[in-house]
Amino acid sequence: MANIKEIAQIAKVSVTTVSRVLNNHPYVSVDKRIAVEKAIKETNYQRNMNAVHLSKGETNLIGVVIPYANHPYFGLLLEGIANEAVKNNYKLILFQTNYEGQRELEALKMLKHKQVDALIFCSRNSPFTLLDEYTEYGPIILCEDTRGKNISSTFIDHYKSFSEALNYLHTIGHKKIGYCLARRKGSNSRSREKAYRDFLKKINEPFESNYRFYDCLNFEDGQEIIRSLNAMSNPPTALIVTSDQVAAGILVCCKENNIAVPEDLAILGFDNQPISKVMKLTTFEMPLTDMGSNLLRQAINPRAVNHEELFVKLIKRETV
């Protein structure tokens, strides 16, 4: 394959002139531009875009780190990121990690080696101490509350939103409230746990550890939750479920087990996924596509560290 020097020799111009033509520089005579373009066509010259990006110090690639590509929550975040990337002529590199630290480290190393311009973490397993080591190599944006940290973020205050959900259930008569989370660990899970414990103290209710359910990710997980509730002598009267997919699975299992919803068990979801509308789930709408769009904007317009909070909205239907 021909290189720039060979193109210059064929066109009988300098390497600088060839470079100017390739980069659409205005100060090239018509004759020289025609000669260079003819030589490019004759040799079927293709630019080495890695070299071009290296010379410019940017790749127009943004890395997006997600634990699961097939989960609706992350699908909507990714939709917002992708739409905004198209608007701004950026491309995405997707890292599915399954919350494995080594895979997240691979993404961070790509940022270090200038293979991507920025990284967006939709959810993470790596500690802040590790992320801090890589912030000097490019923007790292998180989809969680990083106020007080030196990393920008777009986030929902999960302590605040979980407290809102608990208080809503309490105002309509529920005291024995359980919850279902995707992860036992993680900053969002810790915020929800704290909101839950603070709420119980406020209403003077005892803490019941078996009212908590973890690793709730899919529609099918509802079956195990209902099995556990049926085995309890004193089950909760309401569940907060942080995934509408899981909430829908619980609702189906309730019907199969003759558990009346919301009379015997109220179900309050999060996200407002399409399935929640179909199944008439009461839920909190999370502006996930807007969050994704904002994450991308923060990644491509790095400035002083900033934290942008978005808010949930209660959607009342038939399960509470």
Side-chain angles (χ1 to χ4, degrees):
M1 185 180 292
N3 57 37
I4 288 182
K5 287 184 179 180
E6 292 168 339
I7 295 296
Q9 291 172 353
I10 294 170
K12 298 180 181 179
V13 298
S14 68
V15 170
T16 300
T17 298
V18 176
S19 179
R20 285 176 176 172
V21 172
L22 290 172
N23 290 290
N24 294 316
H25 198 285
Y27 302 114
V28 179
S29 69
V30 175
D31 291 345
K32 289 182 178 179
R33 185 178 297 276
I34 291 173
V36 170
E37 290 174 348
K38 182 180 178 182
I40 289 171
K41 186 174 181 181
E42 288 175 354
T43 58
N44 194 28
Y45 170 77
Q46 302 294 322
R47 300 183 76 181
N48 184 335
M49 294 310 298
N50 287 332
V52 172
H53 292 150
L54 188 63
S55 68
K56 290 182 177 181
E58 59 184 28
T59 65
N60 276 66
L61 296 174
I62 303 294
V64 181
V65 181
I66 61 172
Y68 312 112
N70 62 346
H71 194 281
Y73 175 94
F74 297 109
L76 286 174
L77 270 180
L78 189 58
E79 179 183 335
I81 293 169
N83 289 342
E84 197 66 24
V86 169
K87 290 179 187 177
N88 291 276
N89 199 30
Y90 277 82
K91 294 181 176 64
L92 304 178
I93 293 182
L94 193 64
F95 301 89
Q96 179 173 319
T97 66
N98 299 333
Y99 285 120
E100 295 174 15
Q102 183 57 39
R103 293 180 184 272
E104 294 183 7
L105 184 59
E106 290 171 5
L108 289 166
K109 286 182 177 179
M110 285 192 69
L111 180 68
K112 180 179 180 179
H113 297 311
K114 307 300 181 186
Q115 293 172 287
V116 293
D117 296 337
L119 277 180
I120 296 171
F121 276 80
C122 295
S123 189
R124 67 183 171 88
N125 187 42
S126 299
F128 274 113
T129 50
L130 177 62
L131 300 185
D132 284 338
E133 295 177 17
Y134 287 84
T135 52
E136 64 178 289
Y137 303 115
I140 298 175
I141 316 297
L142 299 187
C143 186
E144 64 183 87
D145 188 353
T146 62
R147 288 175 292 189
K149 307 287 185 181
N150 193 37
I151 295 180
S152 293
S153 64
T154 298
F155 68 96
I156 286 171
D157 187 327
H158 288 283
Y159 179 94
K160 187 188 301 181
S161 62
F162 216 64
S163 296
E164 186 178 345
L166 289 161
N167 288 324
Y168 169 61
L169 290 172
H170 186 246
T171 60
I172 58 176
H174 294 283
K175 292 183 178 180
K176 297 187 297 180
I177 304 170
Y179 65 77
C180 308
L181 300 182
R183 300 176 70 194
R184 187 179 296 270
K185 299 180 180 179
S187 62
N188 293 342
S189 296
R190 288 192 296 270
S191 295
R192 288 161 169 160
E193 172 86 16
K194 187 175 187 309
Y196 185 68
R197 289 181 177 272
D198 289 348
F199 168 76
L200 292 178
K201 287 180 182 178
K202 184 178 73 172
I203 67 170
N204 198 28
E205 279 290 311
F207 174 77
E208 299 282 354
S209 61
N210 61 340
Y211 284 7
R212 302 175 301 168
F213 301 90
Y214 298 103
D215 301 317
C216 304
L217 290 166
N218 303 306
F219 184 93
E220 294 77 13
D221 293 323
Q223 186 173 3
E224 183 59 38
I225 293 165
I226 293 301
R227 187 179 295 117
S228 297
L229 293 179
N230 282 335
M232 294 181 190
S233 58
N234 184 33
T237 62
L239 282 178
I240 299 175
V241 189
T242 58
S243 164
D244 285 338
Q245 294 287 317
V246 178
I250 294 172
L251 180 58
V252 169
C253 288
C254 282
K255 293 178 180 178
E256 293 174 349
N257 286 268
N258 296 315
I259 299 172
V261 177
E263 292 81 6
D264 297 332
L265 180 67
I267 303 171
L268 179 58
F270 264 85
D271 296 348
N272 198 28
Q273 299 281 350
I275 196 171
S276 68
K277 186 175 182 179
V278 172
M279 302 197 71
K280 300 179 181 179
L281 282 164
T282 299
T283 188
F284 274 89
E285 182 177 65
M286 298 175 70
L288 295 175
T289 53
D290 290 342
M291 289 178 69
S293 296
N294 204 65
L295 288 164
L296 194 284
R297 287 192 292 269
Q298 287 177 302
I300 65 176
N301 297 300
R303 53 184 190 277
V305 172
N306 67 102
H307 314 288
E308 300 194 29
E309 181 180 358
L310 300 183
F311 302 93
V312 300
K313 176 185 176 183
L314 177 63
I315 307 295
K316 295 182 180 181
R317 294 193 179 104
E318 297 182 6
T319 57
V320 174

